[in-house]
C-alpha cells in the first residue's frame, strides 16, 4: 500500500519539463516535493500566483503572499501575480498542463465527486469545479476504499458531482488506474498489492491486462 | 471632494449612502487583501440585511466574520466558507443564506458585471448541482451553462497604493478579487495603505484605472495571517 508520500511520488512522474501545474490541498500539495530533478515546472496557485515557491522562512513571511490554501508562501524567480479572473482564465482556458486534486469518489464515466457530502456542512467547492472543467490532464489522488472497505471507484458516483466526464487518471494507495470507454483500466499496482485485492476493492468495471507492473520507488 | 479627486478623509464619507438591503462586493481571498477599515465601518454603521459577494467570509472575529457576528449579513455569495464557525451556526439555523459559486465563475461574474456583460456560458459546473436549473448550450460538442453576472451597490476594495485620481495598484497576492470588485460597484470605495502624489504610480502599471473608483481612503491594516507556514532557516 502506498503512503501519502508515495502517492505524491507516483503523481510527480506525470510531470514533464516546462509544465504549468496546479496542485490541490492535501496529498496533491506534497507532489511539489517530488518534481523530478532537472525539470522546470511552474506551480499555479489559483488565488493569483504562477511560480509558487516553498514556504517562507520566519523572516520572509509576508501576509500579502499566500497560496490558495491560505498558507504563507514565496514566489520563485520568474513568477507572476494576477487577479482571480485572470487566474481562472488560465485554468478554464486550458492553459494549465496538469491539475492534481483529491476526491471522495470517481466513476467509470470519469465523473468526480469531491466537494459535498449531503447531510454534512457544505463548505464550498472553491476552485475545484473550474479546475476539473478546464484541465485536459487531471490526476486524482485518493484512497482506493474507505476505512470500512467501501470502494471509492464506482460504477456511478453517489455524491453530488464536482465535474462530469473529466477524469482520466487516478492514483490511489493501491494502484494507478486510467478511465476510458466507460471502464477503469488497471495500469500499475502498489508494491506488494495483488491484482485480486485491487479488483475486489473496485466497484466499477475494471479491465485488467495480463501484466500489471508493480510500481517501484 | 472636487472634480476627479477621489480622496476622502473619514470612513463615514467613505461609506456614505450604504443602506439596509444593499449588495456589497468585497475584495480579498481569505484574510489576504481585505479592506479592514471599511468592514469595521460597516459594523459601526450597523447596516443590515446585506448581501455580500466575497470569495470567503473571514474568520470568527476578523474580516467579514465581524459582520456575521453582528448579524448584518442576510446572504453570502462565496466559493468557500469553511473557516468560520459562526457562519455554520447561522447557516444551519436559517438566519443566513448562502449561494455557493465556483471560484472562477464567481470571479468571472464580477468581471463581467463590471464590464457590462449580463451573462456568459461556462463549462464549470455543468452536470453538477451548480448547473441545475440553468440554461445549457452546446458549443463545439461541449456543454456549457449560462451564468449571470454580478454588480453591487457598493464595492469595497483593498489596494496597496492609490493616487487621488483613484488609480490603484495592489501588492502580491493581496490583489486576488480586488481589481474585479473595483469594476463592479455602483459606488467603489478603495482602502489603501498609502496615498501617493499623482504621477508617482507608473501609468503603464496601473491595476485599476481611476474611472472605476469613486472614493479612496487611507487606512491602517493589521493584515492578520490565516495559516502561517514557515520552513526552517537555512544554515
Amino acid at each position: 500500500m502506498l503512503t501519502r508520500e508515495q502517492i505524491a511520488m507516483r503523481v510527480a512522474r506525470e510531470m514533464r519539463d516546462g509544465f504549468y501545474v496546479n496542485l490541490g490541498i492535501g496529498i496533491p500539495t506534497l507532489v511539489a516535493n517530488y518534481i523530478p530533478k532537472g525539470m522546470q515546472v511552474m506551480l499555479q496557485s489559483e488565488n493569483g500566483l504562477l511560480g509558487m515557491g516553498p514556504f517562507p522562512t520566519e523572516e520572509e513571511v509576508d501576509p500579502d503572499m499566500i497560496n490558495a490554501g491560505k498558507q504563507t508562501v514565496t514566489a520563485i524567480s520568474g513568477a507572476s501575480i494576477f487577479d482571480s479572473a485572470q487566474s481562472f482564465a488560465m485554468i478554464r482556458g486550458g492553459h494549465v498542463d496538469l491539475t492534481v486534486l483529491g476526491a471522495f469518489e470517481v466513476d467509470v464515466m470519469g465523473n468526480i465527486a469531491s466537494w459535498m457530502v449531503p447531510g454534512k456542512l457544505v463548505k464550498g467547492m472553491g476552485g475545484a469545479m473550474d479546475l476539473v472543467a478546464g484541465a485536459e490532464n487531471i490526476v486524482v489522488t485518493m484512497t482506493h476504499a474507505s476505512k470500512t472497505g467501501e470502494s471509492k471507484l464506482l460504477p456511478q458516483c453517489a455524491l453530488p458531482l464536482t465535474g462530469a466526464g473529466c477524469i482520466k487518471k487516478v492514483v490511489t494507495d493501491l494502484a494507478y488506474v486510467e478511465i476510458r470507454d466507460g471502464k477503469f483500466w488497471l495500469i500499475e499496482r502498489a508494491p506488494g498489492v495483488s491484482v485480486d485485492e485491487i479488483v475486489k476493492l473496485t466497484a466499477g468495471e475494471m479491465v485488467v491486462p495480463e501484466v500489471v507492473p508493480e510500481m517501484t520507488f | 471632494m472636487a472634480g476627479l479627486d477621489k480622496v476622502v478623509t473619514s470612513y463615514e464619507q467613505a461609506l456614505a449612502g450604504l443602506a439596509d438591503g444593499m449588495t456589497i462586493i468585497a475584495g480579498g481571498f481569505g484574510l489576504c487583501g481585505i479592506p479592514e477599515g471599511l468592514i469595521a465601518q460597516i459594523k459601526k454603521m450597523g447596516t443590515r440585511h446585506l448581501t455580500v459577494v466575497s470569495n470567503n467570509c473571514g474568520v470568527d472575529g476578523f474580516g467579514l466574520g465581524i459582520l456575521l457576528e453582528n448579524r448584518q449579513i442576510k446572504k453570502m455569495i462565496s466559493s468557500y466558507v469553511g473557516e468560520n464557525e459562526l457562519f455554520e451556526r447561522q447557516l444551519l439555523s436559517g438566519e443566513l443564506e448562502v449561494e455557493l459559486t465556483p471560484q472562477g465563475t464567481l470571479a468571472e461574474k464580477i468581471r463581467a458585471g463590471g464590464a457590462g456583460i449580463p451573462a456568459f456560458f461556462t463549462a464549470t459546473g455543468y452536470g453538477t448541482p451548480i448547473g441545475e436549473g440553468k440554461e445549457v448550450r452546446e458549443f463545439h460538442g461541449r456543454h456549457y451553462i449560462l451564468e449571470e453576472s454580478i454588480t453591487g451597490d457598493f464595492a469595497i476594495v483593498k489596494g496597496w497604493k492609490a493616487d487621488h485620481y483613484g488609480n490603484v495598484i495592489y501588492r502580491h497576492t493581496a490583489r486576488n478579487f480586488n481589481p474585479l470588485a473595483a469594476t463592479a460597484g455602483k459606488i467603489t470605495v478603495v482602502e489603501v495603505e498609502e496615498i501617493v502624489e499623482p504621477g508617482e504610480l507608473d501609468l503603464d502599471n496601473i491595476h485599476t484605472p481611476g474611472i472605476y473608483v469613486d472614493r479612496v481612503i487611507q487606512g491602517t491594516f493589521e493584515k492578520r495571517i490565516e495559516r502561517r507556514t514557515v520552513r526552517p532557516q537555512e544554515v
Side-chain angles (χ1 to χ4, degrees):
Chain A
M1 215 155 68
L2 301 186
T3 62
R4 288 161 57 85
E5 285 73 20
Q6 284 173 318
I7 294 176
M9 285 162 80
R10 176 59 192 85
V11 173
R13 292 177 192 165
E14 299 300 309
M15 300 228 192
R16 297 294 175 264
D17 200 19
F19 261 20
Y20 295 98
V21 179
N22 184 291
L23 301 175
I25 292 163
I27 294 176
T29 306
L30 300 175
V31 176
N33 301 331
Y34 303 105
I35 297 168
K37 284 229 157 47
M39 232 181 237
Q40 261 198 325
V41 166
M42 276 242 187
L43 301 178
Q44 203 256 16
S45 189
E46 64 266 25
N47 59 316
L49 170 60
L50 187 62
M52 182 169 57
F55 294 139
T57 62
E58 200 60 61
E59 280 136 47
E60 289 170 340
V61 168
D62 182 341
D64 289 339
M65 186 60 96
I66 65 166
N67 65 16
K70 293 160 192 141
Q71 298 170 307
T72 46
V73 287
T74 57
I76 63 168
S77 160
S80 56
I81 284 172
F82 32 85
D83 66 54
S84 300
Q86 173 87 283
S87 182
F88 282 93
M90 290 173 198
I91 290 167
R92 211 188 296 102
H95 305 278
V96 175
D97 299 299
L98 175 66
T99 289
V100 186
L101 80 170
F104 302 142
E105 299 171 347
V106 293
D107 70 26
V108 294
M109 299 312 293
N111 296 323
I112 173 171
S114 67
W115 70 287
M116 169 182 186
V117 179
K120 284 197 186 169
L121 185 81
V122 183
K123 294 185 169 186
M125 68 294 283
M129 284 193 181
D130 306 280
L131 281 159
V132 297
E136 193 47 46
N137 189 11
I138 305 168
V139 180
V140 169
T141 62
M142 60 196 291
T143 54
H144 209 95
S146 71
K147 283 179 186 132
T148 53
E150 282 162 274
S151 178
K152 296 180 180 180
L153 280 69
L154 304 173
Q156 191 176 8
C157 286
L159 296 170
L161 298 186
T162 307
C166 49
I167 306 302
K168 295 181 189 125
K169 299 173 181 176
V170 185
V171 177
T172 74
D173 50 347
L174 303 184
Y176 169 56
V177 175
E178 291 184 356
I179 304 173
R180 60 190 127 89
D181 307 326
K183 296 180 184 85
F184 294 119
W185 297 68
L186 181 56
I187 308 295
E188 296 168 26
R189 59 200 167 86
V193 176
S194 73
V195 168
D196 284 352
E197 226 174 311
I198 295 163
V199 170
K200 212 177 76 192
L201 287 170
T202 305
E205 185 183 350
M206 183 174 250
V207 179
V208 182
E210 266 178 46
V211 181
V212 181
E214 200 175 79
M215 293 175 204
T216 51
F217 292 97
Chain B
M1 259 191 296
L4 295 172
D5 185 356
K6 313 288 175 76
V7 174
V8 297
T9 50
S10 75
Y11 283 99
E12 287 79 11
Q13 286 172 292
L15 287 172
L18 181 70
D20 288 0
M22 281 187 169
T23 295
I24 300 174
I25 303 180
F29 187 95
L31 301 180
C32 184
I34 58 171
E36 298 178 18
L38 295 174
I39 295 169
Q41 175 63 19
I42 296 170
K43 180 177 176 184
K44 198 171 150 199
M45 289 167 76
T47 322
R48 293 170 64 85
H49 308 299
L50 297 169
T51 294
V52 178
V53 183
S54 167
N55 189 53
N56 316 94
C57 195
V59 295
D60 291 316
F62 199 69
L64 292 170
I66 66 172
L67 302 184
L68 280 180
E69 244 167 46
N70 221 20
R71 298 190 151 61
Q72 290 175 259
I73 303 178
K74 180 190 72 176
K75 181 177 177 181
M76 283 298 307
I77 301 177
S78 306
S79 88
Y80 191 80
V81 291
E83 322 299 346
N84 203 311
E85 270 181 50
L86 191 63
F87 191 97
E88 190 173 330
R89 282 210 301 279
Q90 291 189 11
L91 191 63
L92 293 172
S93 72
E95 253 178 283
L96 180 68
E97 239 181 283
V98 63
E99 189 175 317
L100 289 172
T101 305
Q103 198 173 125
T105 296
L106 183 63
E108 192 62 15
K109 277 171 174 260
I110 301 170
R111 195 201 68 80
I117 294 171
F120 56 92
F121 282 101
T122 176
T124 302
Y126 172 74
T128 79
I130 297 305
E132 278 167 27
K134 289 177 184 159
E135 186 182 333
V136 176
R137 281 269 297 272
E138 202 180 313
F139 296 94
H140 313 296
R142 198 166 178 210
H143 291 100
Y144 297 80
I145 58 173
L146 187 67
E147 291 280 9
E148 288 185 26
S149 65
I150 295 176
T151 54
D153 297 297
F154 272 78
I156 58 171
V157 170
K158 194 270 165 180
W160 181 25
K161 296 178 183 180
D163 60 26
H164 74 232
Y165 292 108
N167 295 309
V168 184
I169 61 169
Y170 307 91
R171 185 172 175 275
H172 296 346
T173 59
R175 189 181 320 185
N176 58 62
F177 281 82
N178 280 299
L180 314 174
T183 65
K186 280 192 199 108
I187 297 176
T188 289
V189 189
V190 185
E191 186 182 17
V192 294
E193 293 176 44
E194 194 184 342
I195 294 174
V196 300
E197 291 304 314
E200 257 186 61
L201 300 177
D202 174 9
L203 78 162
D204 279 323
N205 291 294
I206 302 291
H207 300 141
T208 293
I211 191 169
Y212 294 110
V213 175
D214 298 284
R215 302 170 192 168
V216 174
I217 187 164
Q218 186 167 323
T220 52
F221 297 85
E222 178 187 330
K223 293 195 185 182
R224 196 180 289 185
I225 293 174
E226 212 164 324
R227 299 219 171 106
R228 187 186 198 88
T229 45
V230 294
R231 70 174 197 276
Q233 190 77 48
E234 281 115 20
V235 280

